[in-house]
């Protein structure tokens, strides 16, 4: 078991923080601070309230999904289907709400029912992925890669290659979920912040969180320690599915439609944010606050590229992919050092 996993285990001693370890832990925050300085020097509007709110609101959706991905990756798993699942959940939820309009009307009752529908679908999809991986003993990469294709194909079939649109009256009723504000702060930002706090507490302070880290560090040791390995691993995928559902429920009012391209490459952004934040891709150690920093780093990089015009925004995916590769290489070097 790794030093970090041992330190986080019940009854373990305090973790000794060397200068190098402190630098590694502060890395995402230092990178975020550097980005803010660079962005401010390149554009006077970068640190403006409107620009920061826009970046944080757009980043919140990926951030919510990345919180779930942190649990999965910390346990030594991987989920490549989150983007396709989001598109499918959006399509099915919109269809459910449109069909329920004659009975429930266009008020908050139907909007709440739509949110519940999204949570049910996301949780079931996560459960299905988890069971196939854990009980079927199939690699997570294979299961979620297959699920990614299945979810995207079903959405394309349901939309007939076009779009699935939410009824106009429902768009008005659900609009505050994405565009609303509380005390001047966007609702998606508030939801993201609350989920990040809960996720950090669960991962750091609860038995479930310690079990997740222990399983990712050494599955065999976890088994001998009487940890319910299969149940915990399945639950991490359920958590991932639920976070996808929450992000999707917030996303639907943004445009009021879903297409076969909805959620495209979201899995790349979520995984990139988790790895940038310091969670080990091999499992055993994860931190939600680091994931939050990783999400903001990706959001500000994209924003700086858009404001500066130095690089086409179509290359954002290339930057995210390169960041993942570099972050994993750095993790490997630290583990070998």
């Amino acid at each position: 078991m790794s030093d970090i996993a041992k330190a986080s285990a019940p009854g373990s001693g305090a973790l000794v923080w060397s200068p190098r370890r402190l630098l590694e832990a502060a890395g995402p925050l230092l990178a975020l601070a550097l980005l803010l300085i660079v962005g401010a020097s390149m554009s006077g509007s970068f640190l403006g309230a409107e620009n920061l709110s826009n970046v944080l609101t757009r980043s919140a959706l990926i951030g919510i999904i990345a919180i779930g991905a942190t649990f999965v990756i910390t346990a030594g798993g991987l989920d490549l289907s989150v983007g396709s699942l989001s598109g499918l959940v959006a399509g099915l939820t919109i269809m459910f709400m449109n069909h329920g309009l004659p009975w429930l009307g266009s008020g908050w009752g139907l909007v709440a029912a739509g949110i519940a529908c999204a949570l049910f679908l996301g949780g079931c999809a996560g459960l299905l992925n988890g069971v196939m991986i854990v009980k079927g003993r199939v690699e997570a990469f294979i299961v979620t890669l297959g699920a990614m294709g299945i979810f995207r194909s079903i959405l394309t079939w349901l939309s007939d290659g076009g779009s699935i649109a939410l009824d106009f009256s429902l768009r008005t009723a659900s609009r505050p979920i994405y565009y609303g504000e509380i005390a001047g702060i966007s609702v998606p930002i508030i939801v993201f912040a609350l989920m990040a706090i809960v996720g950090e507490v669960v991962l750091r302070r609860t038995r479930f969180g310690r079990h997740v880290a222990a399983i990712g560090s050494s599955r065999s040791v976890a088994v001998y320690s009487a940890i319910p390995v299969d149940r915990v691993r399945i639950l991490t995928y359920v958590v991932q599915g639920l976070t996808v559902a929450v992000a999707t429920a917030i996303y639907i009012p943004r445009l009021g439609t879903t297409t076969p391209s909805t959620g495209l490459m979201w899995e790349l952004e979520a995984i990139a944010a988790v790895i940038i934040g310091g969670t080990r891709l091999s499992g055993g150690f994860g931190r939600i606050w680091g994931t939050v920093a990783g999400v903001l780093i990706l959001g500000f990089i994209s924003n700086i590229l858009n404001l500066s015009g130095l690089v086409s925004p179509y290359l954002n995916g290339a930057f995210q992919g390169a960041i993942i590769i570099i972050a994993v290489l750095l993790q490997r070097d630290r583990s070998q050092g």
Side-chain angles (χ1 to χ4, degrees):
M1 188 179 291
S2 67
D3 293 339
I4 294 177
K6 289 178 181 177
S8 63
S12 60
L15 184 63
V16 178
W17 289 96
S18 65
R20 177 181 176 183
R21 194 180 298 276
L22 285 171
L23 182 60
E24 291 175 358
L29 297 180
L30 293 175
L32 183 58
L34 179 61
L35 273 177
L36 292 175
I37 294 173
V38 171
S41 65
M42 296 181 66
S43 173
S45 62
F46 178 76
L47 292 180
E50 182 177 358
N51 184 63
L52 291 178
S53 179
N54 288 336
V55 173
L56 293 176
T57 300
R58 289 196 300 267
S59 299
L61 300 180
I62 296 299
I64 292 170
I65 295 174
I67 290 171
T70 304
F71 282 89
V72 171
I73 294 174
T74 301
L78 187 68
D79 193 341
L80 300 176
S81 67
V82 294
S84 298
L85 176 59
S86 180
L88 180 58
V89 169
L92 292 175
T93 300
I94 289 174
M95 294 172 66
F96 170 80
M97 294 175 69
N98 287 343
H99 284 296
L101 190 58
W103 291 276
L104 297 178
S106 59
W108 265 98
L110 183 54
V111 174
I115 294 174
C117 175
L119 291 173
F120 174 77
L121 293 170
C124 287
L127 178 63
L128 182 61
N129 277 343
V131 169
M132 287 191 295
I133 292 167
V134 176
K135 298 300 184 181
R137 301 185 183 278
V138 183
E139 288 294 329
F141 175 83
I142 299 299
V143 171
T144 58
L145 183 64
M148 177 175 67
I150 292 171
F151 295 154
R152 187 72 65 186
S153 295
I154 293 176
L155 175 60
T156 304
W157 172 66
L158 290 173
S159 65
D160 197 22
S163 63
I164 302 174
L166 189 64
D167 185 271
F168 185 78
S169 60
L170 289 173
R171 296 188 193 187
T172 303
S174 61
R175 182 178 175 84
I177 297 177
Y178 184 85
Y179 293 100
E181 294 182 350
I182 299 177
I185 303 176
S186 167
V187 169
I189 298 175
I190 295 174
V191 174
F192 177 32
L194 291 176
M195 292 187 66
I197 293 172
V198 172
E200 179 69 17
V201 171
V202 170
L203 191 59
R204 289 292 186 185
R205 302 297 180 183
T206 69
R207 179 180 298 179
F208 174 72
R210 291 192 292 270
H211 286 176
V212 167
I215 292 169
S217 181
S218 176
R219 196 175 304 171
S220 60
V221 172
V223 171
Y224 288 120
S225 301
I227 293 175
V229 173
D230 288 357
R231 184 173 66 189
V232 172
R233 291 178 65 203
I234 291 173
L235 282 176
T236 60
Y237 286 96
V238 173
V239 169
Q240 177 72 93
L242 291 175
T243 57
V244 170
V246 172
T248 303
I250 296 174
Y251 172 81
I252 289 174
R254 181 184 178 187
L255 300 175
T257 62
T258 185
T259 68
S261 63
T262 296
L264 194 64
M265 301 299 288
W266 282 10
E267 56 278 344
L268 177 64
E269 295 183 59
I271 294 173
V274 173
I275 302 306
I276 292 169
T279 295
R280 292 180 177 174
L281 188 59
S282 58
F285 176 71
R287 53 192 185 193
I288 300 295
W289 70 263
T291 295
V292 173
V295 169
L296 296 181
I297 288 171
L298 290 177
F300 283 124
I301 287 177
S302 177
N303 184 240
I304 290 172
L305 292 177
N306 290 336
L307 290 176
S308 65
L310 296 176
V311 180
S312 169
Y314 295 116
L315 291 175
N316 284 346
F319 278 92
Q320 292 161 4
I323 289 172
I324 291 178
I325 295 172
I326 293 171
V328 173
L329 286 174
L330 291 175
Q331 288 185 1
R332 187 188 65 177
D333 290 341
R334 289 199 299 266
S335 64
Q336 293 176 348

